[in-house]
Amino acid sequence: MTLPSMSLAIVGSAHKNSDGSDRRAEIDACMPGEPIDLVLEPDNEFDCHAIAVYSSRAVQIGYVRADRAPRIGSLLGSTEVRAIFQRPAEFGAWVRLAFDGEDPALTDAMLEDQDEGVIRHIAPEPDFYPDEIWPDD
């Protein structure tokens, strides 16, 4: 059975990257549907479950929230996870994930906004998850 797609809040956009690049500027350069890379950081000094999030230009845009990282990290090790940029948000960004080799798709609300040529910059608080919430194992 294929796991359902989900949206994830990406946080930490206010911080600069170690190379000096600006995460917020990179988020602003991302387009809805653009591929996103999720990279485990087991040696992260603050959180051994940290998952860095990178744009298609290999610039870090933030991190998966700490409360979601253990579950997503276990999925990264057990199934093929694909991610796309969904939209910017005040706290960082939203990305969309699909599992088991499925391609993620933008949500209907995002597609409607694209059709009108407008991308909403207002997003729910980062603890709101519009899809099913799986229990952390």
Side-chain angles (χ1 to χ4, degrees):
M1 180 175 130
T2 300
L3 296 170
S5 294
M6 68 183 307
S7 294
L8 279 180
I10 305 306
V11 298
S13 65
H15 300 283
K16 296 272 188 198
N17 291 320
S18 59
D19 65 1
S21 58
D22 185 306
R23 293 177 184 175
R24 175 51 60 186
E26 186 62 19
I27 287 170
D28 290 343
C30 290
M31 297 302 297
E34 182 177 304
I36 294 294
D37 289 320
L38 304 175
V39 179
L40 295 170
E41 288 188 352
D43 296 328
N44 184 297
E45 65 180 298
F46 301 106
D47 182 358
C48 65
H49 299 288
I51 301 172
V53 182
Y54 290 84
S55 72
S56 62
R57 289 164 296 284
V59 176
Q60 186 176 3
I61 61 172
Y63 283 93
V64 171
R65 281 182 44 144
D67 62 331
R68 306 306 295 163
R71 175 68 173 151
I72 300 304
S74 70
L75 290 169
L76 287 171
S78 64
T79 187
E80 183 180 355
V81 178
R82 295 182 184 171
I84 58 172
F85 183 82
Q86 203 165 344
R87 68 177 180 257
E90 287 184 30
F91 56 82
W94 286 99
V95 298
R96 188 85 178 152
L97 305 183
F99 306 95
D100 300 325
E102 296 287 322
D103 287 324
L106 296 173
T107 62
D108 289 342
M110 189 70 234
L111 291 173
E112 288 171 13
D113 287 345
Q114 273 190 292
D115 291 341
E116 296 173 13
V118 175
I119 298 174
R120 264 190 294 208
H121 289 270
I122 299 170
E125 293 299 314
D127 59 349
F128 170 76
Y129 294 91
D131 300 296
E132 175 183 357
I133 298 176
W134 305 319
D136 290 328
D137 296 336

